[in-house]
Amino acid sequence: TLAPAPEAGADAVTLVVKGTDGTTVASGSIPVSSDPFKWDGKDASGNPLPAGNYTFELQNYQNGKLVGTDPVEAYSRVTEAQTGDGGPVLVLASGAKVAASDVAAVRAATEP
């Protein structure tokens, strides 16, 4: 689940998904809204992407012109916390591991 935050005045937005090497693996238009958005985990051809860590950015457009690009926060269930070589690591429900320093916030679960 993603938390997009379109810039004020944006009339169109594109979600860009990047792999760990920074390569764009998927992109597409999403509603201009700050409502939570459920990403389907698929590439532009509709094929499922492998489990792993992805980063998300929102390209904001106004009258067809790119006016800004911002990171998009993602929500995921944390199933475990571990001590890693570089500090604390959180294990997500998908099995992916994320450095605690890369996490903006931890919230209470809202669903089982």
Side-chain angles (χ1 to χ4, degrees):
T1 302
L2 306 176
E7 292 184 12
D11 54 24
V13 293
T14 298
L15 177 68
V16 178
V17 183
K18 295 185 177 187
T20 55
D21 64 356
T23 302
T24 298
V25 296
S27 67
S29 296
I30 65 170
V32 181
S33 170
S34 58
D35 292 338
F37 179 79
K38 190 86 164 178
W39 177 54
D40 64 7
K42 296 179 181 176
D43 66 17
S45 300
N47 300 311
L49 290 165
N53 293 332
Y54 295 92
T55 58
F56 305 91
E57 61 185 35
L58 196 65
Q59 294 177 338
N60 299 273
Y61 293 89
Q62 189 174 39
N63 299 320
K65 181 181 176 186
L66 180 65
V67 294
T69 301
D70 300 301
V72 177
E73 292 182 353
Y75 297 98
S76 184
R77 183 173 299 275
V78 174
T79 59
E80 184 179 351
Q82 300 175 347
T83 301
D85 291 338
V89 175
L90 303 179
V91 180
L92 307 180
S94 67
K97 295 180 180 181
V98 179
S101 60
D102 291 338
V103 176
V106 177
R107 297 170 181 87
T110 57
E111 56 186 65

